[in-house]
Amino acid sequence: MLRNREYRMVLLIMSVISLIAVAIAAMISTVAVLLIIISSVLLIGCCVVFTRWRYREIEKLSGYLRQIIGGDYSLDVRDNQEGELSILKNEIYKVTLMLSEQSSLLQHDKDKLTNAISDISHQLKTPLTSMTMLADLLSDTDLPAEKRTEFTHNIRTQLERIGWLVSSLLKFSKIDAGTAQFKHSQVAVDMLIQKSLVPVLIPMDIKEQSLSIEGEQNVSFMGDLNWTTEAIINILKNCVEHTGVGGKISISYHENALFTQIIIADIGKGIPKGDLPYIFKRFYKGKNASEESVGIGLALAHSIITSQHGAIDVRSEIGKGTEFVIKFYKQVI
């Protein structure tokens, strides 16, 4: 303890005060001198014992902090006693909990990033391998013109697939990172539906699928038109893809005091019951998924809708079709 400057200062001051008191007492009587000496020794002794205990407690806290710095967040230094040291212990415990949570979040983000990179690598590997093989075939000078045209078309298709995949993953990363800017404005559902249908009208026409829309013009919700359009497009693409030639896709919507609901249904082949719990999971491909499917469209739709405090559910029956139920709530509890 003597290495501590403040401790030496306290001892020096108390000793000086005691000596002055003894000197004054000497002018009074011998008994007074003895009383002053005994009182001074007891006071200095108590001060030494108390200071020593306090420094031990501080030393323990220093040890705790060293363990926390070393990454050990399992310490529990909570103290229900009164006093500054107890307050300090409780504050250290709070900081330990906060650091532990931050460490868990960092580890979670690290695992998420690793998985995302792994998924992206896996998804890009197939089209890149395909394009490499096609490029090798195109380098053959004796390749017929028809085959050259076919291979070039296939390369273009793979490039479009990579472009779509990268674009979708960028949107995912924005949503995951919380940097996606979702507007909170009035969205008219009829406008949303009409805008979402544009990219799927040609595929529907090719498959001769019919479309029915049912809903009142004044139905709306608070959200972001562009992002929600992206979500609806992905759901419609899924419906078109899994509905056969001549099939039917229906869209209905309504609004009540609690939420605005949009239902998109098809009469396609349906989703197996075992796939339903995972249908919105990123890169999940169900049993009825096509070879071209990446398993990202419905996951992106789910992320967009839930990021706007909405909810999406799916009901499906093999051979009868699938129904996506989307709700945008008026208030978030």
Side-chain angles (χ1 to χ4, degrees):
M1 288 196 301
L2 288 173
R3 63 184 178 181
N4 297 301
R5 184 184 173 191
E6 65 274 15
Y7 180 70
R8 294 198 303 268
M9 288 294 295
V10 169
L11 277 181
L12 179 62
I13 292 170
M14 292 182 72
S15 298
V16 169
I17 292 173
S18 297
L19 289 174
I20 293 172
V22 169
I24 295 172
M27 292 185 288
I28 301 173
S29 67
T30 306
V31 176
V33 171
L34 286 173
L35 286 173
I36 292 297
I37 290 174
I38 292 170
S39 300
S40 300
V41 169
L42 288 174
L43 286 173
I44 293 174
C46 289
C47 180
V48 169
V49 170
F50 174 74
T51 306
R52 190 170 183 176
W53 170 80
R54 195 174 61 174
Y55 275 108
R56 280 182 181 171
E57 291 297 311
I58 294 173
E59 190 176 349
K60 284 182 185 175
L61 293 178
S62 298
Y64 292 149
L65 289 173
R66 282 193 293 273
Q67 285 182 260
I68 293 168
I69 291 170
D72 183 1
Y73 303 123
S74 61
L75 296 171
D76 188 349
V77 294
R78 281 176 292 180
D79 190 345
N80 294 325
Q81 302 296 321
E82 296 290 338
E84 297 301 324
L85 275 174
S86 295
I87 293 173
L88 181 58
K89 285 179 182 177
N90 290 328
E91 292 299 322
I92 289 175
Y93 179 70
K94 289 178 187 174
V95 172
T96 305
L97 280 183
M98 186 181 69
L99 290 173
S100 176
E101 289 174 3
Q102 287 182 348
S103 176
S104 298
L105 287 174
L106 285 173
Q107 186 61 43
H108 176 71
D109 289 345
K110 192 184 290 183
D111 293 341
K112 206 170 179 180
L113 180 62
T114 304
N115 292 334
I117 291 172
S118 174
D119 288 337
I120 293 168
S121 173
H122 176 73
Q123 297 300 330
L124 291 177
K125 190 176 179 181
T126 303
L128 287 173
T129 304
S130 175
M131 284 194 298
T132 303
M133 293 174 62
L134 290 169
D136 290 339
L137 293 172
L138 282 171
S139 64
D140 184 0
T141 54
D142 297 329
L143 189 70
E146 297 80 12
K147 284 291 180 186
R148 192 176 295 280
T149 303
E150 179 187 342
F151 292 162
T152 304
H153 173 73
N154 288 339
I155 288 178
R156 188 178 294 110
T157 302
Q158 295 297 340
L159 284 172
E160 289 173 355
R161 178 183 166 89
I162 291 174
W164 174 81
L165 182 60
V166 171
S167 172
S168 298
L169 291 172
L170 282 174
K171 289 169 186 170
F172 262 129
S173 64
K174 281 185 177 180
I175 295 172
D176 290 345
T179 57
Q181 299 294 323
F182 288 96
K183 293 180 182 175
H184 194 64
S185 55
Q186 203 75 26
V187 176
V189 176
D190 60 340
M191 182 189 294
L192 170 71
I193 299 300
Q194 293 303 325
K195 192 173 179 182
S196 304
L197 280 170
V198 173
V200 296
L201 285 177
I202 293 177
M204 287 180 68
D205 188 48
I206 292 172
K207 297 181 80 171
E208 299 177 350
Q209 294 171 344
S210 61
L211 172 69
S212 68
I213 302 175
E214 184 180 349
E216 296 181 0
Q217 281 190 342
N218 59 352
V219 175
S220 63
F221 65 93
M222 295 301 291
D224 187 291
L225 174 62
N226 292 327
W227 276 105
T228 312
T229 300
E230 178 75 31
I232 301 295
I233 287 172
N234 281 294
I235 294 170
L236 285 170
K237 280 181 177 175
N238 185 83
C239 292
V240 172
E241 182 182 339
H242 291 91
T243 302
V245 175
K248 180 181 178 182
I249 293 172
S250 60
I251 302 172
S252 61
Y253 51 90
H254 73 273
E255 181 179 6
N256 58 33
L258 298 177
F259 54 77
T260 298
Q261 179 172 278
I262 304 170
I263 298 177
I264 302 173
D266 64 52
I267 56 169
K269 48 192 173 185
I271 302 170
K273 195 174 180 180
D275 288 337
L276 286 176
Y278 313 102
I279 201 69
F280 297 118
K281 189 177 179 183
R282 205 170 300 184
F283 299 116
Y284 181 79
K285 292 176 69 173
K287 293 175 183 173
N288 288 340
S290 67
E291 292 183 0
E292 298 296 320
S293 174
V294 181
I296 201 171
L298 291 180
L300 181 58
H302 180 269
S303 289
I304 291 171
I305 291 168
T306 54
S307 294
Q308 298 181 86
H309 308 299
I312 179 170
D313 193 16
V314 59
R315 297 190 284 259
S316 187
E317 192 172 343
I318 293 294
K320 292 188 177 179
T322 303
E323 187 177 82
F324 294 92
V325 181
I326 303 163
K327 290 180 181 176
F328 291 99
Y329 291 92
K330 304 282 184 185
Q331 290 184 338
V332 180
I333 300 175

